[in-house]
Amino acid sequence: MADEVKCTRSLYELSIPAVANQFLNYKKYLKYLPESVLFDLYHQLYKDKKLCLLGVELSDLNTFSRMLKVTNRRIHLLKAFQALMDHETNVGNELATSYTTWCTTHKENTAVHEKIINLGLRLGGFLSDAGWYPESEKVLISCRNLCLSSTQNSETWCHTLDCCHKLLHAQAAYNSFIGAAATYKLALDTIKKLEKSERKNANHAALYAEFSVLFFIRNEYDLAYKWSVDALKELKPFLPGYIIVNVLRQAAKSCIVKRDYQKAGLLMKQAVYLAREVFDIDHPKYSDVLLDYGFYLLNSDSIVNSVAVYKLAYEIRKAIFNKYNLHVAIAHEDLAYALYVQEYSSGKFSQASTHINRAIDIMEKLLPEKHLMLSSAKRVKALILEEIALDSAPANGSDQNLFFKSETLHLSALLLAKDAFGENNVQTAKHYGNLGRLYQSMRRYQEAEEMHLKAIGIKEELLGPDDYEVGLSIGHLASLYNFHMNRYRDAEELYHRSIAISLKLFGKSYSGLEYDYRGLLHVYTKLEDHEKYLDYMDALNNWKELRDKNAESEEPPIEKKCPEPLENVITAFFSM
């Protein structure tokens, strides 16, 4: 008989479940326990699924403030907090309300201001990390107001900037643009005050990165890039790792939308390597970086790797935040769009449909009806529905029904984008372009042309004539002229312009070139220009060979490398 393997548990490990099992009997003594021990008791309640009891405990601001001090167990606290929110204990709003009451009650007691401000920064930051942005904003607004009511000196100005940093993050992530604009202005005014004080050399890398995030989400790419470069200039090796990671990934995203893929790749890969080293691979901050890396891969035409990275980011977020959380919804949406792009030529959109429907389900549960984030997810669903309608055989008008659903979603997204950003914005232009493609599919050709021309006009004005987005819309208009309006010379001119943009940005193996080459083959067939037809048949065949070679040599999605010294990365960036 084989020897039994015995697992010896320490007295402490045995006592935690025992005390948790008799929690109410011991409750009056718990305030004397160290934070780490108390945390273990609450985590045991979470594991035992005693969520009502745990909710009562963690809704108390004094208790929760102690748990926030146990920084090495943050993932466990995030999981427990999400379980309470799923259990509809409303613990987030109760904590935010309690904090607001504290700020009001102690407004005149300046002796405790610093303590309450520091708590607000920790609590607001946690709620934002947990994906509960309205609650985070509520806390941080109260914290900001307390900062502004305190004695004004360089110390309180630093607190105000810390608060602006966290508040701006929550407001931008939740698309609260009016509040974010006010926070941005306050931050700039406070920086000016600090520059005239003894703290004039304060480091603003983290704050500048948040400025960049705000303008990125507002599709104001020149300002997003400007602030991200300013943040890079402020980076120093002594800064906390999470700040360095955030600056690198945001600067990389800004480079992507400015179509500087070499700089973007340098920064994004270093952000991934450093995030893995700082946070490990099961941390939500690592998933944040992976989502940005997926965005880089998708935009730089590495679609298969993009899907793989998005899937990994989604799995990390799902493991921490379970189902009904905005972090999970965003991961579903990003993955859905990448799958849609990947399967565009195959017509197999079942996975993309599953993920986008899940994203919308979560957002409809957590967001107001006409929230801009929900609009973004519905736009992705509209694109998928359109392709399903095109690829399915018409039966009892089912394809038309899908088209009408897609149109409703696109029009709703357009109205929300115009309300949030105005007419002259890249996001608004994208919605016009989406409607143009849809109307082309619905055989409403004049309306399709009108939408494409609007999209091209806005994009050219904002991004210049040679941007990727301009090339995309030009290619769509060329397709309309070519296949539906018999305007072959107009189509020819647009295809050549689209190809020139693609070659300039991505090179000869870019995936999107296939559609332009095939479009020109159709044009020259109709024009009976056999010489040019053969030229572009050769171009298409050469493109296929390059794609096959690239597929064989493609790197794995995430290389296991150590990050380069920060000084080397910054020097390399500015020397490009």
Side-chain angles (χ1 to χ4, degrees), residues 64-98:
F64 199 82
S65 67
R66 296 184 68 193
M67 297 303 94
L68 289 173
K69 295 177 182 178
V70 188
T71 55
N72 64 329
R73 303 285 299 279
R74 184 51 56 94
I75 291 178
H76 290 153
L77 187 58
L78 287 168
K79 287 183 176 181
F81 186 86
Q82 181 60 39
L84 294 176
M85 296 299 283
D86 287 342
H87 197 60
E88 299 185 350
T89 60
N90 208 20
V91 60
N93 190 55
E94 289 186 27
L95 289 169
T97 301
S98 295

Side-chain angles (χ1 to χ4, degrees), residues 513-541:
L513 286 168
E514 178 183 12
Y515 304 104
D516 290 339
Y517 288 150
R518 292 191 183 280
L520 281 174
L521 291 176
H522 183 266
V523 166
Y524 293 130
T525 298
K526 291 295 183 180
L527 294 175
E528 298 183 355
D529 190 331
H530 304 299
E531 185 177 345
K532 288 186 177 178
Y533 179 91
L534 292 175
D535 287 343
Y536 280 94
M537 182 57 75
D538 287 341
L540 181 61
N541 289 332

Side-chain angles (χ1 to χ4, degrees), residues 297-362:
L297 292 168
L298 187 65
N299 279 270
S300 57
D301 203 36
S302 184
I303 298 167
V304 173
N305 279 346
S306 173
V307 169
V309 169
Y310 275 131
K311 283 182 177 178
L312 181 56
Y314 161 71
E315 292 296 339
I316 295 170
R317 288 192 168 190
K318 185 173 180 291
I320 297 168
F321 300 111
N322 202 6
K323 296 179 180 179
Y324 290 105
N325 186 283
L326 288 178
H327 287 317
V328 179
I330 291 166
H332 274 299
E333 180 187 343
D334 288 347
L335 177 55
Y337 184 74
L339 287 165
Y340 158 78
V341 174
Q342 182 183 43
E343 302 300 341
Y344 187 78
S345 58
S346 73
K348 299 175 182 177
F349 296 105
S350 59
Q351 284 191 69
S353 294
T354 297
H355 283 287
I356 200 58
N357 287 333
R358 191 70 189 112
I360 291 172
D361 286 345
I362 296 169

Side-chain angles (χ1 to χ4, degrees), residues 9 12-22 41 44 48 50:
R9 300 172 68 191
Y12 179 78
E13 292 171 322
L14 292 169
S15 65
I16 290 293
V19 174
N21 191 46
Q22 299 292 324
L41 276 174
Q44 187 66 44
D48 293 343
K50 296 180 179 179

